């Protein structure tokens, strides 16, 4: 029984589409779209940040004065590699260089920023890092209080605080960091 020309063409398209199908990588976790907003870039110990995501929120109880920024790196499978936090950033254009890890003593009216980094290890252990004495800086290039939009640049030098793995480096250097984000509201939405 002979095939008609349209049937042969349809059969060829069907076969070729199967050959041309790309194998899809696993998609990022749903938290990418739900929690994170904006873009962030930079290098960590000389390598480009891997799949970085960012979100920011007003700092409780310093809502009128300050906000916190959370930046997370993910591998291609969507597993968290590390998270670093910048806390108590004033809601204004400014350049700051005072960093500490003691969140309990970050007062609303000060320009001291809290900073910490947690690196995840493949076996589930985490090592934590604190800011070193020099080499840390943050510049808020623009802050729009009506839209909640923030643009900034940063560089961090962090040293080991709690080593959970012998594979953890003694220090982590974040260079050429840049970000654009918005403040996330208490209901989880962005302005």
């Amino acid at each position: 029984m002979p095939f008609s020309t349209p049937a042969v063409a349809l059969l060829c398209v069907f076969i070729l589409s199967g050959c041309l199908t790309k194998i899809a990588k696993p998609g990022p976790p749903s938290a990418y779209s739900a929690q994170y907003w904006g873009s962030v870039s930079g290098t960590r110990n000389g390598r480009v940040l891997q799949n970085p995501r960012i979100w920011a929120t007003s700092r409780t109880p310093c809502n009128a004065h300050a906000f916190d920024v959370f930046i997370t790196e993910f591998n291609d499978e969507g597993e968290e590699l590390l998270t670093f936090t910048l806390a108590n950033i004033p809601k204004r254009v400014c350049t700051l260089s005072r960093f500490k890890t003691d969140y309990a003593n970050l007062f609303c009216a000060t320009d001291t920023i809290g900073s910490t980094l947690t690196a995840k290890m493949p076996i589930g252990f985490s090592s934590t890092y604190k800011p070193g004495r020099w080499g840390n800086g943050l510049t808020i290039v623009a802050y729009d209080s009506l839209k909640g939009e923030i643009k900034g640049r940063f560089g961090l030098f962090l040293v080991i605080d709690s080593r959970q793995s012998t594979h953890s480096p003694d220090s982590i250097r974040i260079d050429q960091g840049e970000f654009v984000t918005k403040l996330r509201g208490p209901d989880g939405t962005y302005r």
Side-chain angles (χ1 to χ4, degrees), residues 84-87 89 95-103 106 111-116 130-139 153-158:
F84 55 97
T85 304
L86 299 171
I89 303 167
T95 298
L96 304 158
S97 60
R98 292 190 302 257
F99 287 73
K100 63 191 295 188
T101 53
D102 184 1
Y103 284 18
L106 291 175
D111 283 349
T112 299
I113 305 166
S115 177
T116 187
K130 62 184 179 182
R133 298 186 89 168
W134 297 279
N136 298 303
L138 170 70
T139 299
R153 294 191 304 264
F154 62 96
L156 300 171
F157 178 70
L158 301 128

Side-chain angles (χ1 to χ4, degrees), residues 32 36 38-42 48-54 71-74:
Y32 277 12
Y36 299 92
S39 63
V40 60
S41 62
V48 173
L49 294 178
Q50 188 173 348
N51 301 313
R53 299 294 189 269
I54 186 168
I71 298 169
T72 304
E73 276 192 86
F74 292 90

Side-chain angles (χ1 to χ4, degrees), residues 113-182:
I113 305 166
S115 177
T116 187
L117 183 145
T118 303
K120 306 290 183 181
M121 299 297 130
I123 54 175
F125 294 106
S126 300
S127 293
T128 58
Y129 292 79
K130 62 184 179 182
R133 298 186 89 168
W134 297 279
N136 298 303
L138 170 70
T139 299
I140 301 303
V141 177
Y143 174 71
D144 185 327
S145 60
L146 296 177
K147 295 179 181 177
E149 292 180 352
I150 309 156
K151 292 181 183 177
R153 294 191 304 264
F154 62 96
L156 300 171
F157 178 70
L158 301 128
V159 295
I160 197 82
D161 186 35
S162 171
R163 187 184 304 274
Q164 300 296 321
S165 168
T166 56
H167 302 293
S168 299
D170 291 336
S171 63
I172 293 179
R173 177 100 197 145
I174 310 285
D175 287 310
Q176 302 168 350
E178 293 188 5
F179 67 86
V180 177
T181 191
K182 281 187 178 184

Side-chain angles (χ1 to χ4, degrees), residues 1-49:
M1 174 173 165
F3 290 106
S4 68
T5 304
V8 170
L10 186 60
L11 181 63
C12 288
V13 168
F14 179 73
I15 291 170
L16 286 175
S17 69
C19 296
L20 299 176
T21 303
K22 287 197 257 180
I23 298 173
K25 285 185 178 179
S30 60
Y32 277 12
S33 59
Q35 182 174 355
Y36 299 92
W37 193 98
S39 63
V40 60
S41 62
T43 62
R44 175 173 48 87
N45 291 352
R47 300 180 73 182
V48 173
L49 294 178

